[in-house]
Amino acid sequence: MNQVSVLAQNIPVESSAEAPLLEVRDFSLRRKKATVLDRITLSLNPGETLGLIGESGAGKSTLAMALIGLLRAPEVEIEGSLRFRGTELTALKEADFRRLRGNKIGLIFQDATAALNPCFTVGKQIAEPLRRHLGLSASACRARAVELMQSVGIPEPRLRLDAYPHELSGGMQQRVMIAIALACNPELLLADEPTSALDVTIQAQIMELILDRVRALNSSAIFVLHDLALGAQVCDRIAVMYAGQIVEEGPSECVLNAPLHPYTQGLKSCVVELGMPTLTPIPGQIPPLDAMPNGCRFAPRCPKAQAICGEQRPEAHTRDERQVACWFID
Amino acid sequence: MQETIFSLLDVERVYTLGATGWFHRETRQLKALDGVRLELKRGDTLALVGESGSGKSTLIRLMLGLEPASDGRVLYGQHDLAHLDAEARKRFAREVAFIYQNARGSMNPRMRIADILAEPIRLHRLCEEQAIPARVEALIARVGLPAGLLQRFPGELSGGQVRRIAIARALAAEPTVIMADESVAGLDVSVQAQVLNLLRDLCRESGITLVFITHDLGVASYLCEKIAVLYLGRIVEQGPTHDILSAPRHPYTKALLQAFPRFDAPLCASLKGEIPSPVNLPKGCRFAGRCAQVQPACLEVDPPLTLLTPERQVACLFPVVNPC
């Protein structure tokens, strides 16, 4: 128990309330000449939750991976800036990044079965960041692992400590991954589709748990989601992505209840709500990365497209509290 | 009165689990389905809803005759599925089509789409060999895909396209019943909307009877006029979609509805815990352990599925009075 209170003091609180925790400015990522992320700009304040929403291929997961430096390879070109607590992440050495990952930035992946190592007990896997980042002793790790498992609602944590991932249900595996992500009290939590493989009932439990823990630690969180209604329920802000760009960004109740960008409007009209009479799918699909249109990337599928949309890329306009990248937002 | 296509009479499906150790060769019984009664009429669209482990897929496998019932009978028209002769079996295979959950995995990766779609036509000798290409083209057009895809392999198609091909293949033998297992799960919302519209139009235009497994109540409400909610191998509530969604009477249905993400309500983890193992079922109501309004009687009495109205059935001792 003593070690645990020492642990709490280990967390430096440097970020002031005014400065954003994470600031992404004109961030682009190119791979083999294809622009995978195109001038992404966003910021996240301490304690805020942000949802990245869009179809597959929109670049949501790529952005999340880039944020934690998992896409650093010779063939990947990066431009722009990513600042986390004032530190420029794009200039960070790999060794320094490793000190950040799993420590100040926690990660929850989509598929817990694939993300957990089948050869180690869950207790070992929860203990790993504790040992590595906080240097706790083996017995302190075990004690803290039990605490963490309790905090994520795993019944009988002492018994489950020595269980292998396959001995747990999908929901329980997801809880283990949340425990690992939160082990070092991160300031930022990245959750890539944390519940898309789970039943709605378990999804609600897991989402409530993540939000509850994030609030208790006063951390920020970025959720990659494809369910718009879930985004409305769990996120303070929503960034809608399309083909590697952010097309609309703002407070979730504005963006999702009264979307301005035609793509957000199109996405919303595809969502199946209870007792909905008709669905209107967006025609076509996201263009391939090597054949992106010159102007607005959504223009070929947009019902409101005009000549200018095919020629010039729309810059993000500020409307009330949100940013919309469209030539015709009324 | 419409003709009854399927009737399930107190169907049970028990799996025997192997020995737990070398020396004690005890076997355990896993009851995947326990006393399911269901009637399906021509033109019905029925959604089977429930969490994973509730027995939805087992139920559909029994209705397809892929597995025998351990007890009770599955009737297709007047015939017991367990005792179909070879000819009736073949007719059944033509009239009842299945769309698998894993559409890509259900196709031979070395076969071209044209051959995949032609196979059921050839098997059932539905037309002359030279008329097959035209039929295959008509099929692919019916699911809204270009004929150019016919020469491709399944691996070259996107997720949404593969699902459409799976639907086209199910339509190839001109079935009267289509059963589909989670056919839109894991798709993007826009592609999901396209596939849902396609399925809905097919059912409306050709009067196909549809049995659709889903865990998404929104999808169920969009496609199906009737819903059967399953929990641990039992149907706990059944009736017209609109009635069930506007006024759920079983606490489990109510909890499922509350957990469904929506724009106008906050996140609600309405159910605690997970679906228990069907190996050691509790004595009373099997939902009692997670039920918000459990009473002492629930732990003792296993509630049967009883009629509330002619169309509505619920298996609960104390049905919900004030929904949501």
Side-chain angles (χ1 to χ4, degrees):
Chain A
M1 285 299 144
N2 281 338
Q3 268 97 345
V4 176
S5 48
V6 169
L7 187 162
Q9 292 162 8
N10 272 355
I11 316 298
V13 190
E14 292 162 18
S15 48
S16 65
E18 293 88 45
L21 180 73
L22 178 77
E23 216 174 358
V24 181
R25 188 158 294 162
D26 282 326
F27 182 75
S28 301
L29 190 144
R30 267 180 288 276
R31 191 185 231 161
K32 296 180 191 154
K33 301 276 173 248
T35 312
V36 187
L37 293 175
D38 188 18
R39 283 187 279 162
I40 302 285
T41 297
L42 33 92
S43 77
L44 186 66
N45 290 324
E48 248 181 352
T49 53
L50 170 80
L52 298 175
I53 277 184
E55 289 168 282
S56 358
K60 316 181 292 285
S61 297
T62 313
L63 177 58
M65 304 255 280
L67 283 178
I68 47 171
L70 290 181
L71 294 177
R72 292 143 71 94
E75 75 271 17
V76 175
E77 278 175 59
I78 278 174
E79 221 174 76
S81 117
L82 290 177
R83 292 180 86 81
F84 174 67
R85 304 196 313 161
T87 315
E88 181 56 54
L89 293 184
T90 49
L92 216 55
K93 285 199 204 85
E94 182 56 29
D96 295 325
F97 232 126
R98 262 187 230 149
R99 272 194 279 278
L100 214 58
R101 255 183 242 135
N103 187 10
K104 295 279 177 278
I105 305 180
L107 306 165
I108 300 175
F109 295 97
Q110 179 173 5
D111 185 355
T113 319
L116 294 174
N117 189 328
C119 305
F120 294 101
T121 61
V122 297
K124 266 230 160 72
Q125 297 187 56
I126 298 177
E128 198 182 325
L130 297 170
R131 215 183 53 236
R132 186 176 177 108
H133 296 301
L134 307 177
L136 296 194
S137 68
S139 60
C141 278
R142 248 181 116 77
R144 175 85 177 126
V146 169
E147 267 183 27
L148 282 164
M149 285 167 85
Q150 208 147 27
S151 73
V152 296
I154 298 177
E156 299 177 284
R158 253 169 240 287
L159 294 177
R160 301 288 170 90
L161 210 53
D162 296 315
Y164 287 89
H166 74 269
E167 297 173 286
L168 304 178
S169 69
M172 283 300 151
Q173 290 180 358
Q174 200 58 269
R175 285 170 196 267
V176 168
M177 203 151 61
I178 297 171
I180 296 174
L182 298 176
C184 302
N185 296 357
E187 287 172 43
L188 174 65
L189 183 73
L190 278 176
D192 188 353
E193 306 256 10
T195 57
S196 56
L198 304 172
D199 279 315
V200 280
T201 49
I202 309 296
Q203 163 170 292
Q205 290 176 11
I206 296 286
M207 276 299 180
E208 208 161 72
L209 170 70
I210 296 179
L211 283 184
D212 181 55
R213 299 309 305 155
V214 162
R215 286 191 194 120
L217 296 172
N218 196 22
S219 326
S220 308
I222 296 181
F223 292 98
V224 174
L225 296 171
H226 69 272
D227 188 328
L228 272 69
L230 189 63
Q233 287 179 328
V234 302
C235 302
D236 301 329
R237 304 179 70 81
I238 293 284
V240 182
M241 293 189 70
Y242 182 78
Q245 298 174 338
I246 290 181
V247 293
E248 182 163 3
E249 194 269 329
S252 58
E253 62 269 28
C254 306
V255 173
L256 293 176
N257 288 337
L260 287 177
H261 196 282
Y263 180 61
T264 322
Q265 290 167 354
L267 271 186
K268 185 140 189 236
S269 66
C270 302
V271 177
V272 207
E273 285 179 89
L274 295 177
M276 193 177 216
T278 47
L279 296 176
T280 326
I282 309 173
Q285 47 204 346
I286 294 189
L289 282 172
D290 50 5
M292 279 296 167
N294 286 330
C296 171
R297 290 184 166 190
F298 185 58
R301 299 172 75 187
C302 183
K304 298 180 183 166
Q306 313 251 335
I308 189 171
C309 303
E311 289 154 14
Q312 253 181 296
R313 180 193 155 157
E315 291 302 326
H317 307 282
T318 309
R319 264 297 158 94
D320 302 327
E321 296 163 84
R322 58 178 134 172
Q323 303 273 322
V324 189
C326 177
W327 288 113
F328 306 97
I329 40 175
D330 296 306
Chain B
M1 196 68 187
Q2 291 157 304
E3 173 198 357
T4 302
I5 298 190
F6 270 99
S7 17
L8 275 70
L9 307 172
D10 292 322
V11 169
E12 244 176 59
R13 176 67 189 151
V14 181
Y15 296 100
T16 306
L17 301 181
T20 48
W22 190 254
F23 290 108
H24 37 103
R25 290 218 164 251
E26 296 160 24
T27 52
R28 292 172 300 159
Q29 307 263 300
L30 185 153
K31 261 193 185 173
L33 289 178
D34 187 10
V36 171
R37 252 170 196 269
L38 190 70
E39 206 166 72
L40 197 66
K41 293 199 159 59
R42 190 167 295 283
D44 271 355
T45 45
L46 171 76
L48 300 175
V49 177
E51 289 168 283
S52 16
S54 58
K56 309 182 297 277
S57 296
T58 310
L59 181 59
I60 223 165
R61 289 176 65 81
L62 254 66
M63 289 173 78
L64 285 162
L66 296 175
E67 276 182 43
S70 314
D71 197 12
R73 302 208 301 162
V74 183
L75 298 183
Y76 174 65
Q78 304 299 323
H79 309 282
D80 191 329
L81 270 194
H83 308 110
L84 286 184
D85 58 35
E87 199 172 317
R89 174 88 228 165
K90 197 163 177 192
R91 211 183 66 228
F92 175 79
R94 192 181 74 69
E95 289 173 355
V96 182
F98 185 41
I99 304 173
Y100 290 83
Q101 180 165 16
N102 179 356
R104 202 182 292 275
S106 73
M107 290 174 198
N108 186 336
R110 308 294 300 271
M111 272 168 86
R112 292 183 192 277
I113 301 301
D115 297 321
I116 289 174
L117 294 181
E119 203 176 17
I121 304 175
R122 276 199 193 103
L123 179 74
H124 295 291
R125 299 209 178 84
L126 295 179
C127 67
E128 298 291 319
E129 187 63 34
Q130 58 265 39
I132 287 181
R135 267 186 97 128
V136 165
E137 272 173 37
L139 273 175
I140 201 164
R142 201 163 164 206
V143 294
L145 290 177
L149 294 184
L150 285 172
Q151 292 313 309
R152 304 255 191 105
F153 290 99
E156 298 172 81
L157 305 188
S158 72
Q161 287 171 331
V162 168
R163 309 273 175 133
R164 282 161 184 262
I165 296 294
I167 295 172
R169 180 175 63 178
L171 292 171
E174 295 172 353
T176 50
V177 183
I178 288 186
M179 304 204 188
D181 192 349
E182 298 269 15
S183 287
V184 293
L187 291 177
D188 273 322
V189 280
S190 58
V191 183
Q192 170 174 295
Q194 289 168 10
V195 176
L196 284 178
N197 280 345
L198 170 65
L199 278 170
R200 188 153 98 156
D201 293 346
L202 287 173
C203 291
R204 287 189 177 167
E205 284 160 16
S206 22
I208 288 176
T209 311
L210 179 74
V211 182
F212 197 85
I213 290 188
T214 177
H215 65 267
D216 187 330
L217 280 170
V219 168
S221 76
Y222 191 67
L223 273 185
C224 301
E225 283 159 11
K226 289 183 182 172
I227 287 184
V229 182
L230 276 92
Y231 189 75
L232 272 183
R234 278 264 172 93
I235 292 180
V236 294
E237 182 163 11
Q238 168 167 209
T241 303
H242 178 264
D243 297 3
I244 288 196
L245 296 185
S246 56
R249 301 300 300 273
H250 197 284
Y252 180 59
T253 317
K254 185 180 163 189
L256 277 183
L257 257 175
Q258 286 173 335
F260 183 74
R262 40 171 89 193
F263 290 103
D264 52 0
L267 186 69
C268 173
S270 48
L271 264 190
K272 303 283 171 262
E274 298 180 9
I275 198 162
S277 150
V279 176
N280 294 312
L281 286 173
K283 183 174 153 214
C285 172
R286 42 197 75 192
F287 184 58
R290 296 169 81 190
C291 186
Q293 47 209 62
V294 62
Q295 313 244 352
C298 302
L299 303 173
E300 299 297 323
V301 186
D302 191 5
L305 195 61
T306 42
L307 281 179
L308 282 179
T309 65
E311 290 184 306
R312 191 84 184 272
Q313 293 166 296
V314 68
C316 182
L317 294 177
F318 309 98
V320 180
V321 191
N322 299 321
C324 301

